[in-house]
Amino acid sequence: MEKTATKARSVASTHVNLSMKQYGMILALIAVYVIFAFLTDGKNLTSINVNNLIMQNGYVIILAVGMLLCVLTGNVDLGVGSVVASCGAVAGTLIVDYGASTPVAMLASLAVGALFGAFVGVFVSKLAIPPFIVTLATMLMGRGICYVILQSQTKGPLPADYTWISTGFLPTVKVGGLDMVSIVIGIVISVLIVLLELRSFAATKRHGLPTAPVWQLIIKDAVIIGIVMFFFYKLAGFSGVPVLLILLAVIVGIYHFITTQTVAGRQIYAMGGNAKAARLSGINTEKVFFWVYANMGLLCGVAGIVLSARNASATPKAGDQFEMDAIASCYIGGAATSGGVGTILGAVVGALIMGVLNNGMSLAGFDTNVQKIVKGAVLLGAVTIDLLSKRKKG
């Protein structure tokens, strides 16, 4: 009994440490945003730029969510950029060359992504080929397939009902130049944050497990609510809530639930922590590997739709280096290089940090080569800090 209680306290303590790491990422996001506010003379604070952050980085968040599941198993998927391009190419070609309807084109994009994912899953799970090798192959194959489908041409323009998913907005109710729908959504989210915090705190206390100090929780929630209300206030000053934001919220919510509340989610964490022990405990690791990579392919299909909709066309160069942004988002968001540690919300924060960096450096007029240096340094710094902190604890 005593051993069980000690183990429970240890798990809870680890959870508190992970939460503190996520708080640090949120503070880092704020710091980066404020720094670029000075470097750009406030250009990144405008309503139109906040809206652009969503439009320009929706694909990063989608891919980061799927990539996190791969990272939790201790691996990555290098082929996502090429798969995104191929999925967009299929949708664009069906619409432009064959007159397919938008639903058909979108379903085809999702199917192609799922097939790519299943292809990787079979080689990784059934044939035990290292994911690095398989996904490196799909990176090359996917790009080639994209060029073959498009015949090295851009397919467009795509119809308004297709591009709506990336450029459309919810209906607005303007009062004094502000969209009240955006304001109300911001308030509702803020209330939910407080209620969920109270519920989590009460449940933790009820089980006699350690919790973060109350003042820390109050400060954390105040900061998060401040970010939420600033964000929706800025959206209210432009065109309201983008349809893409609703899609992102649904995807993040579903995968947050899967990773925190389901058996499938716990199995992924168990595999990343110790694959051999997971097998011995009865977890079908082959099945887990398969669905993780099949799921990554499906989300590539979603990202392919979002990207081609934003560009209103399918291009051969689409998706270039997207895998780097997705992988970096996971590690910057607190995922461990060895697997077994990381959260969906952390990956989203990491993706937002990448997005703010990209957006801020562009507004500040940084050379594209300098931008790559900065992003590489940020990624290296995040991983180095994570590894050094583990060595100290060890």
Side-chain angles (χ1 to χ4, degrees):
M1 189 73 179
E2 185 177 346
K3 287 183 179 179
T4 302
T6 302
K7 183 178 180 181
R9 284 193 294 270
S10 175
V11 170
S13 178
T14 300
H15 175 71
V16 171
N17 290 335
L18 288 175
S19 298
M20 293 307 296
K21 183 185 288 187
Q22 290 175 19
Y23 305 160
M25 288 299 102
I26 293 174
L27 293 177
L29 173 62
I30 296 172
V32 171
Y33 196 71
V34 170
I35 289 171
F36 280 110
F38 285 104
L39 293 178
T40 63
D41 295 325
K43 291 179 183 177
N44 69 331
L45 300 175
T46 62
S47 294
I48 188 171
N49 189 66
V50 171
N51 176 78
N52 287 340
L53 275 174
I54 301 171
M55 302 296 197
Q56 293 170 357
N57 297 285
Y59 73 87
V60 181
I61 294 175
I62 294 170
L63 294 178
V65 167
M67 188 65 74
L68 178 74
L69 303 188
C70 301
V71 169
L72 287 175
T73 66
N75 302 283
V76 295
D77 189 336
L78 297 176
V80 296
S82 297
V83 176
V84 166
S86 294
C87 292
V90 168
T93 301
L94 285 175
I95 290 174
V96 175
D97 291 350
Y98 299 97
S101 65
T102 290
V104 169
M106 288 183 172
L107 286 174
S109 177
L110 295 176
V112 169
L115 284 173
F116 266 106
F119 176 82
V120 174
V122 167
F123 277 88
V124 171
S125 63
K126 299 298 182 182
L127 303 179
I129 308 298
F132 180 87
I133 301 300
V134 182
T135 57
L136 180 61
T138 55
M139 179 173 69
L140 300 173
M141 295 165 63
R143 186 61 61 183
I145 291 172
C146 174
Y147 273 86
V148 169
I149 293 172
L150 296 176
Q151 297 178 344
S152 300
Q153 299 174 347
T154 296
K155 300 289 185 179
L158 299 178
D161 62 338
Y162 185 92
T163 60
W164 177 78
I165 195 169
S166 279
T167 60
F169 294 87
L170 295 184
T172 58
V173 179
K174 293 281 186 175
V175 176
L178 292 177
D179 171 39
M180 289 298 102
V181 174
S182 301
I183 300 297
V184 169
I185 290 176
I187 292 173
V188 169
I189 292 174
S190 299
V191 171
L192 286 175
I193 289 171
V194 174
L195 292 178
L196 289 173
E197 188 70 78
L198 291 173
R199 178 185 174 187
S200 175
F201 184 81
T204 305
K205 293 288 287 184
R206 187 167 58 251
H207 291 91
L209 301 174
T211 62
V214 174
W215 64 267
Q216 276 188 14
L217 298 177
I218 293 174
I219 293 175
K220 180 203 72 171
D221 288 346
V223 170
I224 294 175
I225 289 172
I227 294 173
V228 168
M229 290 310 300
F230 169 81
F231 180 73
F232 280 96
Y233 174 78
K234 288 297 181 179
L235 292 180
F238 185 58
S239 297
V241 179
V243 173
L244 178 57
L245 181 61
I246 303 301
L247 174 63
L248 295 177
V250 170
I251 290 173
V252 171
I254 289 173
Y255 283 89
H256 176 69
F257 175 80
I258 289 173
T259 54
T260 59
Q261 303 296 325
T262 68
V263 172
R266 288 192 287 272
Q267 288 178 343
I268 298 174
Y269 281 100
M271 270 187 61
N274 190 323
K276 185 177 181 180
R279 279 194 299 272
L280 293 174
S281 67
I283 294 175
N284 187 337
T285 54
E286 288 186 2
K287 182 179 178 181
V288 174
F289 263 131
F290 180 82
W291 87 258
V292 163
Y293 279 96
N295 171 78
M296 183 73 256
L298 181 65
L299 288 180
C300 285
V302 177
I305 294 170
V306 168
L307 181 65
S308 55
R310 172 164 173 73
N311 295 333
S313 63
T315 64
K317 290 288 186 181
D320 187 34
Q321 295 189 355
F322 279 17
E323 59 278 348
M324 296 299 104
D325 285 342
I327 293 169
S329 297
C330 294
Y331 291 135
I332 291 172
T337 53
S338 57
V341 175
T343 64
I344 293 294
L345 297 181
V348 171
V349 172
L352 290 174
I353 290 176
M354 291 294 293
V356 170
L357 277 173
N358 288 327
N359 178 262
M361 288 189 290
S362 296
L363 290 175
F366 283 33
D367 182 80
T368 54
N369 297 317
V370 174
Q371 292 183 30
K372 292 178 181 179
I373 294 171
V374 172
K375 289 194 291 184
V378 170
L379 172 59
L380 181 60
V383 174
T384 300
I385 291 172
D386 177 60
L387 292 176
L388 289 178
S389 64
K390 286 180 180 177
R391 289 174 187 171
K392 288 181 180 178
K393 290 177 184 177

